[in-house]
Amino acid sequence: MKQKGLRYDGSIDKYPIAEGEIYCLGNGSKITIADITNGLPDFSKKADCVFIDPAGNKGVLKAYYTKAEKACPVQSFDEFVTYIKSCIEQIKPERIFVECFARNKNQILPMVESLFPNVKVYNNTYYHIKKNECWIIQGSKQPEDWGLDGMDEWDAVFKICKEVPFNAITDFFLGQGLVAEAAYEAGKVFYGSDMNRNRLAVAINRIAKRGGEWTIKK
Ligand SMILES: C[S@@+](CC[C@H](N)C(=O)[O-])C[C@H]1O[C@@H](n2cnc3c(N)ncnc32)[C@H](O)[C@@H]1O
């Protein structure tokens, strides 16, 4: 029997998403399984906004691969950051938001600076705990301030989805679906992927609980 930890809340029993399947909503939102080191889903490349919350370092990344029951193919966190950068270059979005922590800010910030002429760093928290410090790094074509300073990441993502103009937002580390939930609530299109099907099933279930009706394309 699989360990409970790998199955999260067990949503996978209700939504057994498999490799190659695309879960779709009527408004064009999509979720599929993808490891970014093997390439992005084609639909993700149509997004004009990106929000991602990548693993914080090599150790955390390896743990995510273990949880996904996959072998970690990268030798260093720097190598992983080159894959992230390549994904963003393929999407060519108007703007990106990358959540980072003290342990990976030194790698994420220069990556965003290398891609966009305007970079803004917001001070944020996670899990609504003041001492849980994180940053949302925004890269954009024009200088912009979306007023995210001081917000918890959860509220910041909801604010981004509600107030930032975009046709579709993508998160290629969708996990349990914060970006999907926030975009769905705002009535916006999202494209989500992650290498871990158990985590994506949690996201799919959360959207269903908010009223989303999924169809599956093979
Ligand atoms: C910090 S979590 C993101 C949490 C997410 N914001 C949420 O709402 O649950 C990072 C996610 O990246 C995923 N991940 C890590 N490496 C990946 C890779 N190479 N390709 C795709 N997903 C990956 C993990 O499975 C994990 O779900």
Side-chain angles (χ1 to χ4, degrees):
M1 201 172 105
K2 284 185 179 171
Q3 291 170 40
K4 180 127 177 49
L6 296 180
R7 291 169 36 81
Y8 298 89
D9 67 359
S11 294
I12 194 72
D13 294 337
K14 201 167 175 194
Y15 298 102
I17 183 168
E19 297 277 349
E21 287 182 346
I22 305 176
Y23 275 60
C24 310
L25 293 177
N27 72 351
S29 297
K30 294 180 172 65
I31 288 181
T32 199
I33 302 170
D35 177 334
I36 63 154
T37 65
N38 297 325
L40 273 179
D42 278 342
F43 59 72
S44 301
K45 297 175 194 167
K46 294 185 184 139
D48 54 355
C49 186
V50 173
F51 181 98
I52 48 169
D53 166 14
N57 59 27
K58 172 88 191 299
V60 177
L61 180 63
K62 273 185 82 174
Y64 277 126
Y65 270 97
T66 303
K67 286 180 193 163
E69 299 175 295
K70 291 176 176 164
C72 180
V74 299
Q75 303 308 314
S76 67
F77 192 71
D78 283 331
E79 187 186 346
F80 191 58
V81 173
T82 64
Y83 280 106
I84 297 174
K85 181 174 173 180
S86 162
C87 288
I88 297 164
E89 284 171 332
Q90 289 171 58
I91 297 165
K92 301 185 196 70
E94 285 295 311
R95 54 180 73 76
I96 66 170
F97 300 91
V98 186
E99 185 174 335
C100 70
F101 303 88
R103 57 184 179 267
N104 64 359
K105 194 179 179 196
N106 286 345
Q107 283 134 313
I108 299 292
L109 182 56
M111 186 268 291
V112 177
E113 285 171 340
S114 73
L115 291 169
F116 286 89
N118 297 284
V119 174
K120 178 160 179 61
V121 180
Y122 300 102
N123 293 287
N124 302 100
T125 55
Y126 58 98
Y127 299 156
H128 290 97
I129 296 171
K130 213 174 165 186
K131 69 173 173 45
N132 285 354
E133 196 175 41
C134 66
W135 294 270
I136 293 176
I137 301 179
Q138 170 191 288
S140 55
K141 293 183 178 170
Q142 305 299 327
E144 296 176 349
D145 182 348
W146 293 101
L148 308 178
D149 240 346
M151 297 184 78
D152 191 80
E153 50 129 24
W154 182 275
D155 302 319
V157 173
F158 272 78
K159 188 173 169 71
I160 289 167
C161 286
K162 197 171 166 206
E163 296 180 8
V164 175
F166 58 77
N167 294 322
I169 189 166
T170 192
D171 179 355
F172 43 82
F173 301 128
L174 185 73
Q176 301 181 69
L178 170 56
V179 167
E181 273 195 282
Y184 182 79
E185 270 312 294
K188 302 258 190 72
V189 175
F190 61 87
Y191 301 138
S193 57
D194 196 287
M195 66 178 177
N196 188 324
R197 61 190 291 267
N198 289 285
R199 289 172 71 83
L200 288 178
V202 176
I204 291 165
N205 194 24
R206 285 186 178 170
I207 299 299
K209 282 186 179 161
R210 287 180 182 262
E213 291 180 11
W214 294 103
T215 52
I216 304 168
K217 288 193 185 140
K218 309 255 177 195

